């Protein structure tokens, strides 16, 4: 078995994946109930090495992990081996994240994408980018999109059909920026998998979300191809707020936001009122990500930095797809 190292950038969804096809078989394959559209970010992601070892071991950011986080990785290795028909051998997986782990900055997207690429190659298989996305999806659906640079889509699965991610525009296809406002250093309390299953099972608004997501997806996809920031931004904010509304109407309810998250949203709306095209999104955590033109980055950063509770801002361009190192 070869020692293989791979790198994947994380990605942030403009149009949100939130909800899985139910049923034991579908859940085992982690099939999305809605379509999503994302931007892969530059210079923020996961580097992962997979190599032979005398027993399974998982190291993240220099620490050996055990329990569920490690078991999730080992189960994914089982899956890789069964998918590429390789004999399962014990492995050491060494990952370094430049994304804060599990804080709603999509660390699982880059993590499972880098792991899928490193593990398939370590076990001697070479998958097409589309097939690799299908495998990465089984670890974390957002990971399917990180295979591709630039902007990617992951369709909804209808009736349990297999779905693969695809590139919509490459990293040179549209020069925009995503400004990330960090509002916490803590890990999230409700992981996305848990959050989406709980809302699917209990939220008054989940059926409405499932009935309505395609409008934002179709509008957003068209706007992305037309490089239309206003239309994409409006669809993105709607998709974001509708997704988060499902959590507020769950029983018991929960919210990924903190006070600074909401203040950032108001700051973005105020920017728009004063003529700056800026649009927000937020994921399974309290950070806010703001899409804007390169020329408006400084204005957006200043507005977000002025919000009490914003710890830092980072600016990202569209990044490249997953690669071997
Ligand atoms: O891929 P997961 O299971 O980490 O879910 C990601 C869910 C969101 O980040 C909230 C939305 C998305 O499309 O990335």
């Amino acid at each position: 078995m070869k020692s293989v190292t791979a790198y994947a950038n994380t990605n942030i969804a403009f149009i949100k994946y939130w909800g899985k096809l139910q049923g034991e078989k579908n859940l085992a394959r982690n099939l999305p109930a809605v379509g999503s559209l994302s931007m892969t970010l530059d210079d923020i992601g996961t580097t992962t090495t997979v190599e032979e070892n005398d027993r399974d071991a998982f190291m993240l950011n220099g620490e050996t992990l055990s329990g569920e986080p490690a078991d999730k990785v080992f189960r994914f290795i089982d899956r890789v081996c069964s998918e590429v028909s390789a004999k399962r051998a014990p492995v050491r997986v060494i990952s370094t994240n430049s994304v804060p782990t599990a804080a709603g900055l999509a660390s699982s997207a880059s993590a499972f994408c880098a792991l899928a690429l490193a593990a398939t190659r370590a076990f001697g298989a070479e998958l097409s980018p589309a097939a690799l996305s299908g495998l990465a999806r089984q670890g974390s659906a957002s990971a399917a999109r990180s295979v591709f640079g630039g902007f990617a889509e992951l369709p909804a699965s209808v009736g349990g059909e297999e779905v693969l991610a695809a590139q919509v525009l490459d990293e040179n296809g549209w020069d925009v920026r995503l400004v990330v406002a960090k509002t916490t250093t803590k890990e999230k309390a409700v992981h996305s998998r848990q959050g989406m299953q709980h809302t699917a099972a209990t939220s008054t608004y989940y059926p409405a979300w499932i009935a309505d997501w395609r409008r934002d997806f179709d509008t957003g996809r068209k706007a992305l191809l037309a490089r239309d920031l206003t239309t994409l931004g409006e669809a993105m904010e709607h998709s974001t707020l509708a997704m988060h509304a499902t959590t507020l109407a769950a029983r018991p309810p929960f919210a990924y936001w903190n006070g600074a998250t909401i203040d950032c949203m108001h700051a973005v709306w105020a920017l728009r009122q004063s003529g700056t095209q800026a649009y927000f999104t937020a994921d399974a955590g309290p950070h806010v990500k703001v899409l804007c033109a390169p020329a408006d980055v400084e204005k957006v950063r200043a507005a977000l930095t002025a919000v009490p509770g914003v710890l830092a801002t980072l600016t990202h361009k569209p990044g490249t797809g997953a690669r071997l190192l």
Side-chain angles (χ1 to χ4, degrees):
M1 186 178 174
K2 286 183 284 186
S3 169
V4 178
T5 302
Y7 174 80
N9 279 314
T10 193
N11 72 79
I12 296 296
F14 294 156
I15 306 298
K16 302 298 180 189
Y17 151 62
W18 189 251
K20 300 171 192 295
L21 275 200
Q22 300 298 304
E24 204 179 319
K25 260 201 194 151
N26 294 333
L27 286 170
R29 290 163 58 223
N30 203 28
L31 294 167
V34 301
S36 56
L37 189 68
S38 61
M39 174 171 136
T40 300
L41 308 190
D42 68 332
D43 296 334
I44 181 161
T46 306
T47 304
T48 293
T49 301
V50 176
E51 59 193 26
E52 201 165 349
N53 201 26
D54 51 359
R55 63 190 165 78
D56 280 343
F58 175 46
M59 282 179 76
L60 177 62
N61 297 333
E63 239 182 274
T64 300
L65 297 192
S66 57
E68 184 48 27
D71 291 343
K72 213 170 151 189
V73 169
F74 306 147
R75 285 197 301 270
F76 188 74
I77 299 286
D78 296 345
R79 201 168 281 238
V80 169
C81 289
S82 92
E83 197 98 347
V84 304
S85 307
K87 190 176 173 310
R88 173 72 156 94
V91 288
R92 176 170 31 228
V93 176
I94 307 163
S95 286
T96 315
N97 250 342
S98 62
V99 190
T101 307
L105 267 178
S107 61
S108 68
S110 53
F112 279 100
C113 185
L115 180 60
L117 179 55
T120 47
R121 296 297 183 106
F123 282 100
E126 196 174 329
L127 300 182
S128 68
L132 185 67
S133 82
L135 185 58
R137 186 204 70 231
Q138 296 178 51
S140 178
S142 55
R145 303 183 308 237
S146 271
V147 170
F148 300 98
F151 305 86
E153 64 185 327
L154 179 65
S157 172
V158 179
E161 70 182 9
E162 176 67 5
V163 286
L164 309 174
Q167 189 173 58
V168 180
L169 289 178
D170 73 19
E171 56 273 25
N172 302 311
W174 193 23
D175 195 22
V176 285
R177 298 290 181 273
L178 203 66
V179 180
V180 178
K182 285 197 198 182
T183 66
T184 185
T185 52
K186 291 198 205 111
E187 284 201 18
K188 63 190 165 199
V190 183
H191 285 264
S192 47
R193 183 172 295 249
Q194 229 180 309
M196 59 182 89
Q197 286 298 75
H198 178 64
T199 52
T202 70
S203 176
T204 319
Y205 292 167
Y206 188 77
W209 162 256
I210 292 298
D212 196 51
W213 67 270
R214 196 177 288 279
R215 235 188 325 162
D216 288 330
F217 181 84
D218 289 346
T219 305
R221 192 179 190 284
K222 243 205 231 154
L224 175 60
L225 286 169
R227 282 81 161 167
D228 175 349
L229 184 62
T230 305
T231 308
L232 175 62
E234 284 171 5
M236 176 172 79
E237 281 191 6
H238 185 268
S239 174
T240 302
L241 293 171
M243 174 205 132
H244 286 272
T246 68
T247 75
L248 303 180
R251 293 175 200 272
F254 65 104
Y256 285 113
W257 302 342
N258 58 28
T261 315
I262 296 170
D263 288 343
C264 284
M265 293 176 185
H266 283 284
V268 169
W269 284 329
L271 274 171
R272 285 225 292 284
Q273 291 246 301
S274 64
T276 302
Q277 292 299 292
Y279 299 87
F280 64 76
T281 187
D283 293 283
H287 309 296
V288 178
K289 298 110 186 182
V290 180
L291 183 66
C292 65
D296 290 328
V297 164
E298 285 319 313
K299 252 191 258 172
V300 169
R301 286 187 65 170
L304 294 172
T305 305
V307 172
V310 168
L311 308 175
T313 62
L314 295 168
T315 304
H316 294 280
K317 295 181 187 175
T320 51
R323 62 179 189 271
L324 293 171
L325 293 184

